[in-house]
Amino acid sequence: MYRIVEKRELAKGVDEFVVEAPEISRKAKPGQFVIVRVVSRGERIPLTIADVDPESGTVTLMVQRVGKSTYHLSCFEEGNSLRDIVGPLGKPTEIKKWGHVVAVGGGLGLAPIHHICKGIKEAGNRLTVIMGFRSKDLIFWEDRMRLMADDLIITTNDGSYGKKGLVTDALKEVIEKDKVDAVICAGPVPMMKAVAELTRPYGIYTVASLNPIMVDGTGMCGACRVTVGGEVKFACVDGPEFDAHQVDFDELMNRLRMFRDKEEIAMRRFQE
Ligand code: FES
C-alpha cells in the first residue's frame, strides 16, 4: 500500500498527490511514468511522474479528473493509501547539453515537463518554459516552474493571464528572436502536433511526450500502439517520448477517442 502524504487541488479538476513510494522515488528518471491502481480490482491508471524526492521517499503525481478511475482517485485524501503503484516505467528522457531548450507544457502536460526540466537544467542547458492554459483559473505550478526556468512564458487562450493566445504563438516568437536547439513538449495531442508542425521547417530537434491509452504498461497488451516514422511502437516501452516530427498524431487522436462511449457509461454508473 502507498500512503498519500499530501493532496491538494491545483486547479479546477486537477489534483496533486505526494505519495510514499521510496523505491520508485530513488529510481525514477525524468520522462518516466507509473501505473496506479486505486483499489484491487481497479483500472490501471498511467500517470507521469511530476517530481520525486528520494530523501523523503515520495513521488509527486498529478491527476486530472476525466473519467471514472481518476474521479475515484480524486476521492482519496491525505492518510489514505493507494492499492499499488508500478514503476518507474518507460524510457527516461534522453537529456544532453543541447544549449537553449524550450519546454512546452499544455495543461496537465506540465507534469512530465516539470520533471524533464529538472534534468534539462542539471545538464547545464538554458531553459525557456512555455506553459499554456485555457484561462487563469486553470494555471498551476507557476512558482515551481519560475524557480527552474531562465525564461517563463505563460499563455492563456482567453487572455485572462499572461499572453493571450496559444503556446505555439509564444514558441514562434521565441524561435524568431532567439536560437533554439531543442524543443520538448507535452500536453493535448493537437497542441503537440501543432508544435511539431511549427518546428519542422526550422529543423529544430523536437520531442513529444505521448499520452496514449495504456493498460499493462509493459509492452504486452498493445493498447499504447503508436506509429512513429511509419513503424509501430509501444509508447510504454519504446517511449513515451518520440521524435515529434515522426509521430502520426492523427492516428493517436483517433485511438484516444476509441473508448469514449464506454468511458462515459462507466462515469455515469460511478456517479449514480
Ligand atoms: Fe500495453 Fe503498452 S500499455 S503495450
Side-chain angles (χ1 to χ4, degrees):
M1 302 289 272
Y2 295 81
R3 199 168 68 89
I4 298 165
V5 293
E6 279 174 52
K7 179 205 173 185
R8 64 179 68 89
E9 187 174 42
L10 293 177
K12 192 163 175 268
V14 178
D15 297 310
E16 173 189 341
F17 288 91
V18 181
V19 184
E20 274 176 356
E23 291 187 6
I24 297 173
S25 75
R26 274 199 301 275
K27 287 190 186 155
K29 300 223 165 22
Q32 292 187 296
F33 66 96
V34 293
I35 288 192
V36 173
R37 268 194 320 170
V38 175
V39 291
S40 61
R41 291 187 166 205
E43 188 184 6
R44 297 161 65 85
I45 312 169
L47 296 172
T48 316
I49 299 168
D51 203 2
V52 294
D53 182 351
E55 277 185 24
S56 62
T58 57
V59 297
T60 301
L61 307 171
M62 276 183 207
V63 181
Q64 185 162 28
R65 285 167 244 152
V66 289
K68 181 202 159 198
S69 298
T70 46
Y71 265 87
H72 192 181
L73 178 48
S74 75
C75 299
F76 280 59
E77 300 294 342
E78 281 176 23
N80 293 150
S81 294
L82 304 173
R83 181 69 182 82
D84 51 55
I85 304 183
V86 178
L89 299 168
K91 287 188 178 165
T93 308
E94 195 188 339
I95 291 175
K96 294 183 191 162
K97 185 160 182 188
W98 284 293
H100 181 204
V101 181
V102 181
V104 183
L108 205 72
L110 215 59
I113 287 296
H114 177 267
H115 200 196
I116 292 165
C117 283
K118 271 182 141 179
I120 288 171
K121 281 305 289 178
E122 278 166 20
N125 292 287
R126 180 157 72 89
L127 175 66
T128 297
V129 174
I130 302 173
M131 300 164 56
F133 299 89
R134 286 202 308 277
S135 56
K136 184 180 178 185
D137 55 318
L138 298 173
I139 296 172
F140 56 86
W141 276 22
E142 177 183 354
D143 50 345
R144 293 180 72 146
M145 298 310 297
R146 214 170 269 291
L147 285 176
M148 273 189 294
D150 297 290
D151 283 300
L152 178 73
I153 302 165
I154 299 179
T155 64
T156 50
N157 297 15
D158 64 1
S160 50
Y161 193 80
K163 278 177 180 282
K164 184 175 193 273
L166 303 174
V167 290
T168 39
D169 302 327
L171 177 59
K172 193 165 194 302
E173 277 182 32
V174 174
I175 290 172
E176 286 181 349
K177 71 167 194 248
D178 203 345
K179 182 174 179 294
V180 174
D181 300 293
V183 171
I184 185 150
C185 64
V189 180
M191 183 211 88
M192 292 191 284
K193 181 182 176 185
V195 168
E197 290 314 316
L198 174 63
T199 59
R200 191 191 302 277
Y202 295 95
I204 299 169
Y205 174 69
T206 303
V207 173
S209 178
L210 305 187
N211 53 350
I213 293 166
M214 289 192 185
V215 180
D216 65 312
T218 59
M220 306 281 282
C221 71
C224 65
R225 178 166 63 80
V226 289
T227 303
V228 182
E231 287 180 26
V232 171
K233 300 279 182 191
F234 297 111
C236 65
V237 288
D238 299 318
E241 288 166 20
F242 295 98
D243 179 342
H245 297 151
Q246 302 293 321
V247 173
D248 184 339
F249 286 107
D250 294 331
E251 179 194 59
L252 177 57
M253 273 185 264
N254 287 334
R255 287 183 64 78
L256 282 168
R257 282 194 281 263
M258 263 187 342
F259 298 107
R260 196 158 285 170
D261 294 351
K262 290 188 174 67
E263 283 166 6
E264 280 171 9
I265 293 167
M267 185 67 201
R268 272 204 302 277
R269 286 189 183 145
F270 179 69
Q271 287 174 322
E272 278 167 11

